[in-house]
Amino acid sequence: MRTLLMWLLVPFALATIVGAALLYPFGHEQKTGAEIGLHQTPVEAVVTGLAQDCGEKCVAVTVQMSDGAASGQSITIPTVKGPGAPSFQIGDEVVLSYAGSQPQAAESYQIVDFQRGWSLAVLALLFAGAVLLLGRWQGLAALGALLLSFVVLVLFVMPSILAGENPLMVAVVGAGLIMFMVLYLTHGISARTSTAVLGTLVSLALIGVLGALFSAVSKLTGLDEDTTNLVTLLGTDIDTRGLLLAGTLIGALGVLDDVTVTQTSAVWELRRANEELTWRELFAAGSRIGRDHMSSVVNTLVMAYAGAALPLLLAISLAGRSMGEILTSQQIAQEIVRTLVGSIGLVAAIPVTTALAALVAARQEVTPIAAPAPEPEPEPKTEKRAAKPVKPRPARIEGDLFIGYDPDKGPWERPSEPRARRAGSARPAPPARRRSSGSP
């Protein structure tokens, strides 16, 4: 089975490496900033004063710049005050936009954002600490895989698309790189991980085919506001529909990894728990687990896309349009296609991955779960009891057992009646011994 998995996955891995080498824009220098018409330069500053004397809906903010051509100089910038406008306090670290030719003039600057680097750094440290605390070495591998994913996105996917390469092809190759690196680095090189990789590949291919088909049938162009601004800045032709599909693939990749790894691990643990299960029984048991997982994962993906498009939904609902017009508009329809295509891929990943895992696990020598060693029985505790004091044995009494006669006192005589009464009044007579029926 290892050999079969190797022959199935090695061609995909080689194709991914070759595709990355062909699509990477070697020698291409991407124009940025003023070279593409963006003359605004960010400048960091600190709020040092506030004044309310610039108008009814205006506040004058005095800032001291900490970098740029006029570093250390203080300027006063009027800003809008009211609902939806940011509120400033003395000591806030802000970002200015410099778009003029006179660095000392206040008219050349505008407050555009806050500095939030330290807060994000603290949050990142908390996240890394939580992952390391729970996952330990595997958590460290997961953080390394997350870092590699960002490296692929920043150093391969984004430069290749900006250089004019087909966004869909770039997304396919980028998703392949992320998938191979993340899964094998996090879970190790094993038949279990290879099965999860194969299930992810099949699901990604299904998402790509369905996305391309329904984007063409629905006549989606992918030209929303952000994409239009990007095309205008680049000044070159870019496949906006392919950019839409690229976002769909990359967005579904993270959830696909979760589904395939979970299903594969579930089948392997079932196999370890009972070696007698056939692949059909493993598939049936794994599918029951997958149905519960499917309902939560699909809801997660839908809520993620709905949350990202919530401002757009609110803006369109204010236009007074019907629900059908809202759902079939360009901006909403592309989110619907992206959500439903990704969800179909997730649903298909469960039976596909479960079937592959059952076929491989049923033919794999799996180490059974070791029974816990029996605990040694505690030795019986011997309690040392205090020795009981030995009572002295009473002296031996000799004589007749019935009447208490002592032969050393001479021959026994029956006492007379008056004498017996006087002796009885002097001391109490002992109780009469009950004789048996055979006594004279």
Side-chain angles (χ1 to χ4, degrees), residues 83-205:
S87 60
F88 300 96
Q89 297 179 357
I90 296 177
D92 286 346
E93 297 179 344
V94 296
V95 178
L96 309 179
S97 175
Y98 171 66
S101 58
Q102 298 179 357
Q104 289 76 22
E107 295 79 10
S108 301
Y109 297 91
Q110 184 180 2
I111 302 177
V112 294
D113 206 351
F114 289 92
Q115 299 181 38
R116 52 183 65 94
W118 68 269
S119 59
L120 295 180
V122 171
L123 181 59
L125 290 177
L126 289 176
F127 166 72
V131 172
L132 292 176
L133 182 63
L134 180 62
R136 298 183 182 180
W137 288 110
Q138 191 169 3
L140 181 61
L143 292 177
L146 179 62
L147 180 61
L148 287 178
S149 300
F150 278 108
V151 169
V152 172
L153 290 175
V154 174
L155 298 183
F156 172 72
V157 174
M158 293 170 58
S160 299
I161 294 177
L162 292 175
E165 300 293 343
N166 188 342
L168 181 58
M169 295 300 300
V170 173
V172 169
V173 174
L177 288 174
I178 293 174
M179 177 189 60
F180 280 110
M181 291 191 300
V182 167
L183 290 182
Y184 282 116
L185 178 61
T186 306
H187 305 284
I189 301 176
S190 62
R192 179 190 299 194
T193 308
S194 299
T195 305
V197 170
L198 193 58
T200 306
L201 279 174
V202 174
S203 302
L204 281 178

Side-chain angles (χ1 to χ4, degrees), residues 27-316:
H28 176 76
E29 295 183 1
Q30 180 60 46
K31 297 179 180 180
T32 58
E35 297 175 346
I36 59 174
L38 296 176
H39 299 286
Q40 297 180 351
T41 304
V43 177
E44 295 182 354
V46 179
V47 177
T48 58
L50 298 172
Q52 306 288 339
D53 56 354
C54 65
E56 181 181 357
K57 295 184 178 181
C58 174
V59 57
V61 182
T62 302
V63 297
Q64 183 179 5
M65 291 176 284
S66 56
D67 65 351
S71 178
Q73 180 179 347
S74 296
I75 58 174
T76 301
I77 304 173
T79 59
V80 178
K81 179 181 67 174
S87 60
F88 300 96
Q89 297 179 357
I90 296 177
D92 286 346
E93 297 179 344
V94 296
V95 178
L96 309 179
S97 175
Y98 171 66
S101 58
Q102 298 179 357
Q104 289 76 22
E107 295 79 10
S108 301
Y109 297 91
Q110 184 180 2
I111 302 177
V112 294
D113 206 351
F114 289 92
Q115 299 181 38
R116 52 183 65 94
W118 68 269
S119 59
L120 295 180
V122 171
L123 181 59
L125 290 177
L126 289 176
F127 166 72
V131 172
L132 292 176
L133 182 63
L134 180 62
R136 298 183 182 180
W137 288 110
Q138 191 169 3
L140 181 61
L143 292 177
L146 179 62
L147 180 61
L148 287 178
S149 300
F150 278 108
V151 169
V152 172
L153 290 175
V154 174
L155 298 183
F156 172 72
V157 174
M158 293 170 58
S160 299
I161 294 177
L162 292 175
E165 300 293 343
N166 188 342
L168 181 58
M169 295 300 300
V170 173
V172 169
V173 174
L177 288 174
I178 293 174
M179 177 189 60
F180 280 110
M181 291 191 300
V182 167
L183 290 182
Y184 282 116
L185 178 61
T186 306
H187 305 284
I189 301 176
S190 62
R192 179 190 299 194
T193 308
S194 299
T195 305
V197 170
L198 193 58
T200 306
L201 279 174
V202 174
S203 302
L204 281 178
L206 179 61
I207 291 175
V209 171
L210 291 178
L213 175 62
F214 283 94
S215 295
V217 171
S218 303
K219 300 185 183 302
L220 297 178
T221 61
L223 284 173
D224 53 10
E225 183 178 356
D226 295 333
T227 307
T228 303
N229 294 334
L230 174 64
V231 173
T232 303
L233 289 175
L234 290 177
T236 57
D237 293 335
I238 185 172
D239 186 3
T240 56
R241 183 181 294 172
L243 191 62
L244 172 64
L245 296 176
T248 304
L249 281 178
I250 295 175
L253 177 61
V255 189
L256 273 178
D257 290 347
D258 175 31
V259 171
T260 55
V261 171
T262 302
Q263 288 303 115
T264 306
S265 298
V267 172
W268 244 261
E269 292 303 322
L270 290 171
R271 168 69 170 165
R272 288 184 61 192
N274 188 357
E275 294 184 359
E276 303 299 327
L277 293 177
T278 63
W279 80 269
R280 294 180 182 273
E281 294 171 336
L282 288 173
F283 175 74
S287 298
R288 288 192 293 270
I289 298 174
R291 281 193 289 269
D292 294 334
H293 194 195
M294 176 193 65
S295 58
S296 60
V297 168
V298 170
N299 186 61
T300 300
L301 188 61
V302 172
M303 291 298 102
Y305 283 126
L310 184 58
L312 179 61
L313 292 173
L314 294 175
I316 294 179

Side-chain angles (χ1 to χ4, degrees), residues 307-434:
L310 184 58
L312 179 61
L313 292 173
L314 294 175
I316 294 179
S317 63
L318 294 176
R321 301 167 64 181
S322 64
M323 183 60 65
E325 293 175 342
I326 292 175
L327 295 179
T328 56
S329 62
Q330 164 71 28
Q331 294 175 321
I332 301 299
Q334 69 181 17
E335 297 298 331
I336 292 176
V337 170
R338 185 182 301 177
T339 302
L340 296 183
V341 166
S343 299
I344 292 174
L346 292 177
V347 172
I350 292 175
V352 170
T353 307
T354 305
L356 292 173
L359 287 172
V360 176
R363 293 163 175 80
Q364 189 84 8
E365 294 182 1
V366 182
T367 305
I369 300 175
E375 297 182 359
E377 296 182 359
E379 297 180 358
K381 296 181 180 180
T382 57
E383 297 181 358
K384 296 182 178 180
R385 299 180 180 179
K388 295 181 178 180
V390 179
K391 296 181 179 180
R393 298 181 64 182
R396 185 175 181 181
I397 301 175
E398 296 179 354
D400 194 303
L401 297 178
F402 293 101
I403 59 175
Y405 168 69
D406 188 357
D408 294 338
K409 296 180 180 181
W412 178 78
E413 293 180 359
R414 182 180 297 274
S416 59
E417 192 71 20
R419 186 180 177 182
R421 291 177 180 174
R422 287 195 301 270
S425 60
R427 60 178 182 178
R433 181 76 177 185
R434 183 178 180 182

